[in-house]
Amino acid sequence: MRRSKTSRTRELFEAAGFPAADDEALTPEQLAERAKKQDKEVEVAAVRLLSRREHSTEELKRKLAAKGHPEASIATVLDKLGKKKLVSDERFAANYVHHHARRGQGPVRIRAQLRQQGVTDSQIQQEIAGGEQDWNGLAAETRRRKFGVELPKTAAERAKQARFLQYRGFNSDQIRAALKFDPDMDIEPDRETTSGEGFDPDHS
């Protein structure tokens, strides 16, 4: 027979050495001991997640909450781990930028992903603008891996490659550098007249 949620809760309380009652029935000492045990459980879970890879504070908070840990314990543990530098949004952002740039992703896409992980704009900007990445060179290398060494010769080919680079997260200047082409002056190779079929990544 399946046990009720109430029965399961009572067993958990009794196993922890507490009476199966509401918080009002617990003494201050029992409440403090329960909070201490909860904090320890959260810390163990957090360290286990961090041992696999870096996490942002917000990402770690979401994962711990999804496991049903108390909000107060999560806040306490994250503050403790932050002071010990075991969780660091700055370190997470630096590793994230490096890893995803190596996968051929540009700064626009990386910035959006880091925002979803709760990293502040100032931290993101610091890692994107102040890091070791040559975004123009990375855009060019990403284009070469996808389309080969030869640059596009027609407006249609340029538009296709520009859309691909946009999807990968590169901005207009980086796309122009990768294609060696200014979409505001759509000149076919070895020709002196404009074709009028230019592609502006800013207006796609």
Side-chain angles (χ1 to χ4, degrees):
M1 180 181 297
R2 184 176 181 181
R3 293 174 298 175
S4 68
K5 183 176 181 180
T6 300
S7 175
R8 176 58 177 163
T9 301
R10 182 180 295 108
E11 290 180 5
L12 290 173
F13 266 83
E14 291 173 350
F18 302 125
D22 296 333
D23 286 353
E24 291 81 357
L26 299 178
T27 66
E29 292 76 14
Q30 289 173 325
L31 287 171
E33 183 63 22
R34 185 177 68 176
K36 183 179 179 180
K37 289 186 177 182
Q38 289 173 335
D39 290 353
K40 185 62 178 178
E41 291 174 357
V42 173
E43 184 173 357
V44 170
V47 171
R48 184 178 295 115
L49 289 169
L50 290 169
S51 68
R52 298 171 184 170
R53 66 167 177 81
E54 291 280 0
H55 285 68
S56 70
T57 302
E58 180 62 27
E59 181 185 21
L60 198 57
K61 178 181 177 181
R62 288 198 300 262
K63 288 188 176 182
L64 292 171
K67 292 179 179 293
H69 293 296
E71 183 177 343
S73 291
I74 293 174
T76 298
V77 169
L78 290 182
D79 181 65
K80 178 181 179 180
L81 296 179
K83 290 177 179 178
K84 290 183 176 181
K85 301 299 183 182
L86 293 178
V87 59
S88 165
D89 284 353
E90 181 179 351
R91 189 173 62 241
F92 170 79
N95 289 342
Y96 195 98
V97 170
H98 178 73
H99 174 72
H100 286 269
R102 290 186 61 185
R103 296 177 61 186
Q105 295 182 9
V108 177
R109 184 170 180 175
I110 292 173
R111 184 187 300 275
Q113 292 169 338
L114 283 173
R115 281 175 174 164
Q116 292 178 347
Q117 299 297 344
V119 182
T120 65
D121 285 341
S122 61
Q123 289 172 322
I124 296 172
Q125 181 62 22
Q126 178 180 334
E127 297 305 327
I128 287 180
E132 302 175 352
Q133 304 302 328
D134 173 9
W135 297 111
N136 286 357
L138 180 60
E141 177 60 26
T142 301
R143 188 209 69 80
R144 283 194 296 270
R145 287 201 299 264
K146 177 68 174 179
F147 298 102
V149 176
E150 187 174 359
L151 291 169
K153 296 181 178 180
T154 68
E157 290 175 348
R158 282 194 294 273
K160 178 180 178 180
Q161 295 189 21
R163 285 194 297 270
F164 169 75
L165 290 174
Q166 278 186 309
Y167 170 75
R168 298 297 294 179
F170 295 97
N171 64 31
S172 300
D173 290 340
Q174 293 151 7
I175 292 172
R176 292 184 182 108
L179 297 178
K180 300 185 185 303
F181 163 74
D182 185 347
D184 294 327
M185 298 178 63
D186 189 1
I187 301 175
E188 298 285 57
D190 301 323
R191 291 177 57 183
E192 295 298 325
T193 59
T194 59
S195 67
E197 300 175 357
F199 174 78
D200 188 344
D202 287 334
H203 295 86
S204 64

